[in-house]
Amino acid sequence: MTILLSTLNARYTHASLGLRYLLANMGELQAQTRIQEFVIGAKTTDLVERILAHQPRIVGFGVYIWNVEETTKLVAMLKRVAPKLTIVLGGPEVSYETGEQEIARLADYVVTGWGDVTFPKLCGEILNGPKPLMKVHAGLQPPMGDIVLPYSLYSEDDIAHRTLYVEASRGCPFKCEFCLSSLDKTAWPFPLESFLAELESLYARGARLFKFVDRTFNLNVKTSLQIMQFFLDKIEANPDDPVYAHFELVPDHLPEALKETIAKFPAGALQFEIGIQSFNPEVQALVSRRQNNEKAADNIRWLCEHSTAHLHVDLIAGLPGEDVASFARGFDQLVGLGAQEIQFGILKRLRGTPIIRHTEPFGMVYDPYPPYTVLATNRVDFATMQRLVRFARYWDLVANSGRFANTTRAMLADAPFENFMAFSDWIYTKTDATHRIALDRLAKLVQEWLQLRGLDREEAAALLASDYAGKAGAPAPAPAAAVAPQRQVRHLAA
């Protein structure tokens, strides 16, 4: 092997789509190129040993916000024990503010942006000359039809045990300043016929779980309908062989034709990620987010009431100009709409995003280390932001997990944010922890909280017993969602 493509994934079930794109487009160098994926948390010396066992001449690393710190250590050690090894970096974390990063200083070359064409070209020059003089190489964006699709490179093990990431398009036409996609000029679709042929091939090989990474899946409704019809056809032809597909939707763009198609899917087959981020029009304007809030709310309500799709709706705390009261109103509104999961995130200052322009006017203070989370603003002080961070973690453990569905509704009552914040503050005083809380202990704490809020012991115990968490961790009933993530199955069983 001459070239090794590597990255540190967040977990084993994540198969790197980026590395497979690079390998698919290596051309004459493909036969000399291999992929070796790792998972964050591994011992650096072990990774170095495993990489060098292949005796590569070039190692290309995919660098992301979740792995940059560990990858920096890995690159530093590789350059010490194998100084003649050529290291090339790529990925969103090193594509912007490149000159400010230690990992870029340590590496030999950096490819910013699209790597499909530029990385193979750079490798050819490193191996065959003339040796490139520039360290940073801006990725060339080729016509979409010229990019070799990578899906045949998913192995049988990937198909059997991992989430398969796919994309019908790249880019995004929207300009939300907290998102790296705001730097794109538009969305670029792949040729639909060849993309559907790749899906067909994956399905024939046994793939049943597909996660689309398109930022705006429903932007082109005609294309969306054809892709969704692909999955409907599979389900209708083999109703006992379920398929699961995850899409990210633009919340205020759900025409009738798309609704009609969505309504045909059985439970456990569809999951939608919907970014609301904020319901405050002034905050939306500050961060250049165009969104018809009334239409977005109507569409979420329709999806909850007239489809079986599982909804993840995103909110971001810490946006410039938003205080806790404003965020709480948006949170309460989302709870009222009925989405199964509200993904409560804290703002992060991703490298290269325009959100940086608000730093001084709104007193934005960010953690200097990944993931660059906002620590305070002129509307939310540090102590309050920490309370929100804990709220988000406990919300995920209790509400989003699906283990406490009935109990959560009782806990929230008619003031969801206020009541759950009170619970969050209380449980933190009891545990001094937001992680590694065993399920049985969490259930006992929830019951104790319910009793403090006025339920007698028998009522609180009965409420918990009606939930997954009250069944001593027994498996949730399994509907026709055999390939759906376990958390979604819990929500379906609630």
Side-chain angles (χ1 to χ4, degrees), residues 444 447-448 450-451 454-464:
K444 290 175 182 177
Q447 179 174 336
E448 184 179 347
L450 292 171
Q451 291 173 226
L455 289 184
D456 63 36
R457 183 182 180 85
E458 289 72 22
E459 289 175 317
L463 187 55
L464 272 169

Side-chain angles (χ1 to χ4, degrees), residues 30 44 146 219 249 277 368-369 420 484 493:
Q30 189 180 69
T44 304
D146 291 353
L219 189 64
L249 296 187
Q277 320 310 1
Y369 300 103
F420 201 85

